[in-house]
Amino acid sequence: MEFNDVINNRKSIRSFDPHKTVSDELIKKIITSAQRTPSWTNSQPWRVYVATGEKLASIKADHLERTQNKVKGNSDLAVIHRADWGQAMAENSRVWNAEISDYLGEEGLAAFSDLQMHLFNAPAVIYLTVERKVSPWMIYDMGAFSQSILLAAANEQVDTIPAYETAKYPDAIRKIVGIPDNEVIIGGIAMGYRSEGKINQFHAKRSPLDHFLTIKH
């Protein structure tokens, strides 16, 4: 079976080189490509904010302080406890956690936790918002738009990771970036160029097709 090279080669990067920045021109090129994402009646519900430089440094400092003080995350989108996940989702997550723990070991896991607290050392974070009120179909469109950004970035050899951690404390993001209160922060995508960190060599497995695919004739 042949694979689409961009989809198959893209992966979530959890350790970026903080010294390699992504130019504004390249970010604009990536977002322009992602604009071709289909949406309900071409509503294009997305709004995009990109934090770099001093703005991102302020977000990172706030995020680090709150995380170290064990401030509970309060993302705009509700988080469902893993105990309430479906069986397949919960099992996939359990396997991923077990495999990455075995791969990294105790010292590596500590380093991974530190990377999360520093937002993966990413030189840029893309924040995606929609105007309130938010419907499930808008979330569907935003998921498609997010994937388009990930693939457009990969096509330009730019690395990414969509992560809850990036949108964990939305009040600080709003204040620092200037996001209006009438917009819901759907999520964030860290962007940059991968470091040589061991975490980036880990490859998560995918479920066999027969675990989730049904074709009826």
Side-chain angles (χ1 to χ4, degrees):
M1 180 182 296
E2 294 184 0
F3 294 98
N4 180 296
D5 287 341
V6 174
I7 293 176
N8 198 46
N9 293 333
R10 198 216 74 84
K11 62 176 296 184
S12 290
I13 292 302
R14 294 174 170 84
S15 176
F16 292 91
D17 184 335
H19 305 296
K20 293 183 179 179
T21 60
V22 184
S23 69
D24 289 357
E25 290 72 21
L26 187 49
I27 291 172
K28 289 177 181 179
K29 183 178 181 181
I30 290 167
I31 300 302
T32 298
S33 294
Q35 277 188 287
R36 299 307 304 168
T37 302
S39 59
W40 188 314
T41 63
N42 198 34
S43 56
Q44 304 175 65
W46 41 79
R47 298 291 182 273
V48 184
Y49 299 83
V50 183
T52 64
E54 293 182 3
K55 294 295 186 183
L56 183 54
S58 296
I59 291 172
K60 287 180 176 179
D62 179 89
H63 183 277
L64 178 62
E65 180 180 0
R66 295 198 201 196
T67 303
Q68 289 178 329
N69 291 327
K70 301 187 185 304
V71 177
K72 185 177 181 180
N74 61 335
S75 60
D76 281 353
L77 293 189
V79 177
I80 300 174
H81 194 279
R82 293 190 184 189
D84 297 321
W85 287 10
Q87 183 177 354
M89 291 172 56
E91 177 61 13
N92 287 339
S93 180
R94 185 198 67 77
V95 170
W96 182 86
N97 277 287
E99 289 180 344
I100 201 168
S101 295
D102 289 343
Y103 176 77
L104 291 176
E106 186 174 340
E107 185 176 336
L109 284 173
F112 177 29
S113 178
D114 186 70
L115 283 166
Q116 285 186 298
M117 286 194 291
H118 290 84
L119 297 184
F120 315 102
N121 291 329
V125 176
I126 298 172
Y127 296 101
L128 305 178
T129 77
V130 296
E131 294 183 33
R132 305 178 194 268
K133 301 177 179 179
V134 182
S135 78
W137 284 107
M138 289 180 187
I139 302 297
Y140 182 93
D141 289 343
M142 292 301 293
F145 183 63
S146 297
Q147 177 73 342
S148 292
I149 292 175
L150 302 183
L151 296 181
N155 192 55
E156 300 293 337
Q157 288 76 53
V158 176
D159 296 308
T160 54
I161 180 173
Y164 163 76
E165 202 74 19
T166 60
K168 191 175 178 180
Y169 303 117
D171 59 320
I173 298 167
R174 278 195 173 81
K175 181 178 179 180
I176 295 169
V177 180
I179 299 175
D181 289 337
N182 69 332
E183 293 181 20
V184 176
I185 299 176
I186 299 299
I189 299 173
M191 173 181 286
Y193 298 94
R194 69 187 69 185
S195 74
E196 297 299 322
K198 182 178 179 180
I199 184 65
N200 290 335
Q201 310 308 315
F202 176 77
H203 291 272
K205 297 177 182 177
R206 292 297 186 262
S207 300
L209 279 181
D210 59 8
H211 283 201
F212 64 91
L213 174 65
T214 300
I215 300 176
K216 297 287 188 178
H217 296 284

XYZ file of all heavy atoms in Angstrom, residues 1 4 20-21 38 53 57 66 72 74-75 91-92 99-100 107 118 131 135 146 149 156 165 178 186-187 194 201 204:
223
model
N 0.844 -1.190 0.000
C 0.000 0.000 0.000
C 0.885 1.247 0.000
O 1.802 1.367 0.801
C -0.907 0.014 1.236
C -1.827 1.231 1.314
S -2.827 1.242 2.820
C -3.810 -0.242 2.573
N 0.756 8.628 1.308
C 1.046 10.006 0.994
C 2.283 10.414 1.797
O 2.295 10.323 3.026
C -0.154 10.885 1.384
C 0.072 12.343 1.082
O 0.950 12.967 1.654
N -0.733 12.885 0.191
N 16.214 28.263 16.073
C 15.815 28.260 14.665
C 14.381 28.772 14.558
O 13.439 28.075 14.926
C 15.927 26.851 14.068
C 17.358 26.341 13.954
C 17.379 24.968 13.287
C 18.803 24.449 13.141
N 18.839 23.101 12.504
N 14.237 29.980 14.086
C 12.909 30.591 14.012
C 12.240 30.327 12.665
O 12.913 29.982 11.680
C 13.008 32.109 14.234
O 13.846 32.671 13.218
C 13.594 32.411 15.607
N -11.946 22.896 3.423
C -13.395 23.062 3.273
C -14.055 23.342 4.618
O -13.564 22.916 5.666
C -13.850 21.705 2.712
C -12.819 20.742 3.212
C -11.525 21.497 3.226
N 8.688 35.575 19.494
C 9.487 36.586 20.161
C 9.071 36.873 21.594
O 8.831 35.967 22.393
N 7.519 34.592 24.664
C 8.324 34.484 25.881
C 7.483 34.796 27.111
O 7.602 34.126 28.158
C 9.525 35.421 25.807
N 2.707 28.945 36.386
C 1.456 28.298 36.795
C 1.616 26.786 36.890
O 1.094 26.151 37.818
C 0.341 28.636 35.803
C -0.034 30.092 35.765
C -1.388 30.263 35.114
N -1.590 31.614 34.614
C -2.772 32.100 34.290
N -3.854 31.354 34.395
N -2.886 33.336 33.832
N -4.382 24.358 38.055
C -5.145 23.488 37.161
C -5.424 24.194 35.839
O -5.768 25.376 35.806
C -6.459 23.082 37.825
C -7.266 22.073 37.025
C -8.525 21.655 37.770
C -9.325 20.636 36.974
N -10.559 20.220 37.700
N -7.384 25.324 32.518
C -8.796 25.678 32.311
C -9.035 26.095 30.860
O -9.523 27.182 30.576
C -9.218 26.789 33.270
C -8.424 28.074 33.068
O -7.293 28.030 32.574
N -9.011 29.203 33.412
N -8.639 25.228 29.943
C -8.783 25.515 28.512
C -10.230 25.844 28.166
O -11.169 25.403 28.842
C -8.307 24.322 27.683
O -9.060 23.168 27.997
N -7.554 2.671 25.473
C -6.522 1.658 25.258
C -5.385 2.212 24.412
O -4.201 1.963 24.695
C -7.127 0.430 24.583
C -6.128 -0.672 24.238
C -5.403 -1.249 25.452
O -5.825 -0.997 26.594
O -4.403 -1.958 25.251
N -5.709 2.972 23.365
C -4.666 3.581 22.542
C -3.780 4.503 23.381
O -2.552 4.510 23.246
C -5.294 4.382 21.402
C -5.890 3.498 20.325
O -5.524 2.329 20.196
N -6.810 4.044 19.556
N 4.509 2.792 26.055
C 5.618 2.711 25.109
C 6.579 3.886 25.244
O 7.801 3.704 25.189
C 5.071 2.634 23.682
C 4.396 1.299 23.372
C 3.867 1.230 21.954
O 3.742 2.306 21.310
O 3.564 0.123 21.487
N 6.043 5.078 25.427
C 6.931 6.238 25.530
C 7.681 6.218 26.861
O 8.832 6.659 26.950
C 6.152 7.564 25.339
C 7.121 8.668 24.937
C 5.365 7.961 26.587
C 6.445 9.940 24.442
N 14.703 9.196 33.492
C 15.386 10.465 33.220
C 14.791 11.164 32.003
O 14.594 12.376 31.995
C 16.874 10.217 33.000
C 17.687 11.489 32.818
C 19.179 11.214 32.699
O 19.626 10.157 33.190
O 19.893 12.052 32.111
N 7.908 24.161 29.247
C 8.480 25.260 28.452
C 7.877 25.299 27.045
O 8.470 25.874 26.127
C 10.005 25.113 28.370
C 10.704 25.387 29.671
N 10.851 24.427 30.657
C 11.268 26.520 30.159
C 11.504 24.956 31.686
N 11.758 26.210 31.412
N -15.413 32.560 16.751
C -16.306 33.444 17.489
C -17.360 32.621 18.221
O -17.843 31.612 17.718
C -16.985 34.429 16.528
C -16.034 35.424 15.881
C -16.778 36.417 15.003
O -17.922 36.760 15.333
O -16.199 36.831 13.978
N -20.484 25.721 17.658
C -21.257 24.508 17.421
C -20.311 23.342 17.155
O -19.153 23.550 16.778
C -22.185 24.685 16.219
O -21.452 24.554 15.007
N -6.912 22.651 11.251
C -5.685 22.345 11.998
C -4.826 21.343 11.243
O -3.604 21.517 11.125
C -6.033 21.784 13.384
O -6.727 22.728 14.165
N -3.016 22.896 8.431
C -1.825 23.637 8.874
C -0.664 22.680 9.100
O 0.468 22.931 8.666
C -2.126 24.429 10.163
C -3.102 25.567 9.878
C -0.830 24.975 10.776
C -3.554 26.320 11.122
N 6.600 22.217 3.943
C 7.670 23.220 3.927
C 8.823 22.829 4.846
O 9.684 23.662 5.159
C 7.108 24.579 4.365
C 5.999 25.124 3.486
C 6.468 25.486 2.089
O 7.685 25.733 1.925
O 5.628 25.520 1.168
N -1.353 21.463 26.006
C -0.476 22.278 26.832
C -0.409 23.720 26.336
O -0.312 24.661 27.136
C 0.931 21.669 26.836
C 1.789 22.071 28.010
C 1.379 21.401 29.308
O 0.688 20.376 29.260
O 1.767 21.917 30.376
N -3.783 39.448 22.703
C -4.836 40.374 22.299
C -6.013 39.694 21.634
O -6.595 40.237 20.682
N -9.688 27.436 20.441
C -9.902 26.020 20.161
C -8.667 25.200 20.519
O -8.758 24.080 21.019
C -10.253 25.814 18.676
C -11.547 26.567 18.331
C -10.405 24.325 18.355
C -12.765 26.122 19.113
N -7.495 25.751 20.270
C -6.270 25.012 20.577
C -5.060 25.754 20.064
O -5.173 26.845 19.485
N 12.810 20.769 14.576
C 13.124 19.791 15.617
C 14.569 19.870 16.086
O 15.482 20.181 15.320
C 12.812 18.385 15.114
C 13.717 17.865 14.021
C 13.223 16.538 13.467
N 11.979 16.704 12.720
C 11.263 15.690 12.210
N 11.674 14.442 12.383
N 10.160 15.918 11.542
N 12.831 11.027 18.392
C 13.072 9.774 17.675
C 11.971 8.747 17.936
O 11.941 7.686 17.308
C 14.427 9.181 18.085
C 15.587 10.163 18.014
C 15.689 10.876 16.676
O 15.580 10.249 15.626
N 15.901 12.187 16.715
N 5.076 6.906 17.407
C 3.860 6.299 17.939
C 3.240 5.375 16.897
O 3.222 5.683 15.700
C 2.858 7.380 18.339
